Amino acid sequence: MGKKGQKRLPKIKPINNFLMLALISVFQLVTAFSAAYGGEKFESRVLTAALLLVATEWIYLIAFYTLLHRRNFELELIAFFLCGTGLSTIGSVNAESALKQYFMILAGILIYVFMVFILGNVDLCMKLRLPVAVGAILLLIVNLAIAKVTNGARNWITIGGITFQPSEFVKIAFIFVGAATLEKIQTSKNIFAYIGFSVACVGALVLIKDFGTALVFFITFLIIAFMTSGDIKTIILAVASAVLGAGIVVKYKSYVTARFSVYRHIWEPEYYNASGYQQTRTLVGIASGGLLGLGIGNGNTRHVFASTTDLIFGVICEEWGFIFAVVLVLTFVAIAVSALVNSIASRSTFYSIAAVAGAGMLLFQTALNIFGITDVLPLTGVTLPFVSQGGSSMMCCWAVLAFIKASDVRTYNYLGGVKKK
């Protein structure tokens, strides 16, 4: 076909990163101001935390735009939006937690930058996979040895006055090891090695009684297994094995049995004010919030236990409105779509596996959180990525986002010192 007969595809104009960040900054400051005025007195700490977050975002954008000539900031902008929403919501419930949440976001951004640079060298990632796998297993062993039971699970440990959740950091290792091990799947040795690592991780989480995270790990394993084998029979076999294992756990673990007994029965008199308390109050709050919400600080779900962690989506629905909540969910979908698009043109199988597994992990965890508090699925106690209060979760989410960022071919086009494979 000649040039005259060819149809020119319309060029998609890239987004204006500075304009988008300006809009996000205005949104963050307005919501933070509302959150600061949400209580009986003005809480300057909430507004201070928001100002620090906005300043950090602008420093990040300007530095990478000018010094490294990077132009793809879509993922960061989404994460900034989610973090800002969480910061304002958390600050409106407990002003003392606002600054702490900001520093956790800052730590997450620093880990994200570090991870993106490390992931730029595939050869280095191949060399690091064994030390990372060993470190992850040792971390879970330490968790089993010294952690105390909190809310039915032994998933928090305190060292030197610092409390953290080891399983959140093992999520990063789980994706990293899976992608690096199966990047060149020429023999069955790599498959069995990763299956062994996966069984060890999930088994440890079951012993810790962190069943929500164990389920997130298992779904991530299925995604990685399907991407490397493309065999639906393998997936069916893995699911069948998991169902059998879950049946055994439910039969012999009273904690899990109690969670399943209340599932779909939260409105019954014996559960309404007992084990179904969180879900019933969340659903009432969502219904009372309507499309536009009651306003930041005016809801009742904020007074329920775990309102800034497990139930934070319910607080947002009630006070910010159902329309905003839908937009929030769509941002996670946008992250998943970005990962799928990036994986098609990525420079290596390593990036494709890591990006899709990371997006799948974030999307599935989001679904578990939202469907759990609304009784569509059993309540598992997992956090809402980037939004819920918690340092370990925040740092893990940013690190997982780095896998998706690394899969974008534009990320390293402007970094002269990064080795390509």
Side-chain angles (χ1 to χ4, degrees):
M1 182 182 292
K3 291 184 178 180
K4 293 183 179 179
Q6 292 179 347
K7 292 184 178 179
R8 289 187 177 181
L9 295 175
K11 291 184 178 181
I12 300 176
K13 188 177 181 179
I15 65 171
N16 187 318
N17 296 298
F18 290 93
L19 176 60
M20 287 299 298
L21 184 55
L23 294 174
I24 292 173
S25 298
V26 171
F27 162 78
Q28 291 173 338
L29 293 175
V30 169
T31 54
F33 192 79
S34 299
Y37 266 113
E40 297 179 355
K41 62 177 182 177
F42 179 74
E43 291 288 355
S44 60
R45 291 170 291 184
V46 180
L47 194 56
T48 300
L51 287 169
L52 287 171
L53 177 60
V54 169
T56 302
E57 293 167 351
W58 279 100
I59 291 171
Y60 177 92
L61 178 61
I62 293 171
F64 280 89
Y65 190 93
T66 57
L67 299 179
L68 297 176
H69 308 287
R70 190 176 290 171
R71 298 294 182 266
N72 56 323
F73 293 96
E74 298 88 355
L75 289 173
E76 291 94 329
L77 292 173
I78 290 174
F80 291 156
F81 168 73
L82 292 170
C83 288
T85 300
L87 181 66
S88 294
T89 306
I90 293 164
S92 71
V93 176
N94 184 2
E96 294 181 0
S97 300
L99 280 172
K100 183 178 179 180
Q101 184 71 1
Y102 161 72
F103 285 114
M104 294 301 101
I105 295 170
L106 178 61
I109 294 172
L110 294 176
I111 291 174
Y112 171 79
V113 172
F114 173 77
M115 285 282 294
V116 170
F117 275 92
I118 291 294
L119 292 170
N121 191 329
V122 179
D123 291 334
L124 177 60
C125 293
M126 297 303 111
K127 295 176 182 177
L128 288 176
R129 69 183 186 275
L130 182 58
V132 170
V134 173
I137 297 298
L138 290 176
L139 192 57
L140 288 173
I141 292 174
V142 171
N143 193 161
L144 283 167
I146 68 175
K148 296 181 180 179
V149 177
T150 304
N151 298 324
R154 282 193 305 174
N155 54 357
W156 292 93
I157 62 176
T158 303
I159 300 177
I162 300 175
T163 303
F164 65 97
Q165 193 172 357
S167 60
E168 292 293 334
F169 297 100
V170 178
K171 286 179 182 178
I172 307 167
F174 194 77
I175 296 173
F176 183 89
V177 173
T181 302
L182 302 176
E183 197 265 344
K184 291 185 178 179
I185 187 167
Q186 297 175 350
T187 66
S188 59
K189 181 180 178 180
N190 285 354
I191 301 176
F192 289 116
Y194 185 60
I195 289 176
F197 175 68
S198 302
V199 169
C201 290
V202 175
L205 289 170
V206 170
L207 293 175
I208 293 169
K209 295 183 180 180
D210 191 353
F211 298 103
T213 303
L215 186 57
V216 171
F217 271 55
F218 178 70
I219 295 300
T220 306
F221 168 77
L222 291 184
I223 293 172
I224 294 174
F226 182 75
M227 286 195 67
T228 53
S229 68
D231 185 7
I232 194 66
K233 294 179 182 178
T234 304
I235 305 302
I236 293 174
L237 179 62
V239 171
S241 301
V243 170
L244 178 62
I248 296 173
V249 169
V250 170
K251 183 175 178 61
Y252 295 104
K253 292 288 185 180
S254 58
Y255 172 74
V256 181
T257 304
R259 287 289 183 96
F260 275 90
S261 63
V262 71
Y263 174 55
R264 306 304 294 171
H265 298 286
I266 59 174
W267 296 105
E268 295 179 8
E270 59 182 305
Y271 299 120
Y272 181 78
N273 286 315
S275 52
Y277 185 87
Q278 288 177 304
Q279 293 105 310
T280 53
R281 272 49 178 189
T282 298
L283 288 170
V284 170
I286 292 173
S288 62
L291 293 178
L292 301 178
L294 302 177
I296 298 176
N298 297 325
N300 292 312
T301 308
R302 61 176 41 244
H303 302 301
V304 182
F305 175 73
S307 62
T308 59
T309 52
D310 301 353
L311 308 184
I312 195 166
F313 184 76
V315 176
I316 291 171
C317 284
E318 183 179 15
E319 300 183 5
W320 302 51
F322 186 74
I323 293 176
F324 181 84
V326 170
V327 173
L328 199 71
V329 172
L330 291 178
T331 58
F332 291 103
V333 176
I335 292 175
V337 171
S338 176
L340 290 174
V341 173
N342 292 345
S343 66
I344 296 173
S346 62
R347 299 180 293 133
S348 167
T349 306
F350 168 75
Y351 295 112
S352 297
I353 296 173
V356 176
M361 176 180 283
L362 291 175
L363 193 61
F364 183 70
Q365 183 171 325
T366 300
L368 271 185
N369 175 272
I370 295 173
F371 293 150
I373 65 174
T374 53
D375 202 37
V376 176
L377 292 174
L379 184 64
T380 55
V382 298
T383 55
L384 186 62
F386 296 105
V387 182
S388 293
Q389 181 178 356
S392 301
S393 175
M394 182 62 69
M395 288 184 277
C396 168
C397 290
W398 275 101
V400 171
L401 194 70
F403 290 116
I404 305 173
K405 181 73 172 183
S407 68
D408 190 340
V409 292
R410 299 172 296 171
T411 298
Y412 301 108
N413 282 350
Y414 309 105
L415 305 180
V418 176
K419 184 179 179 181
K420 294 185 179 182
K421 185 176 177 70

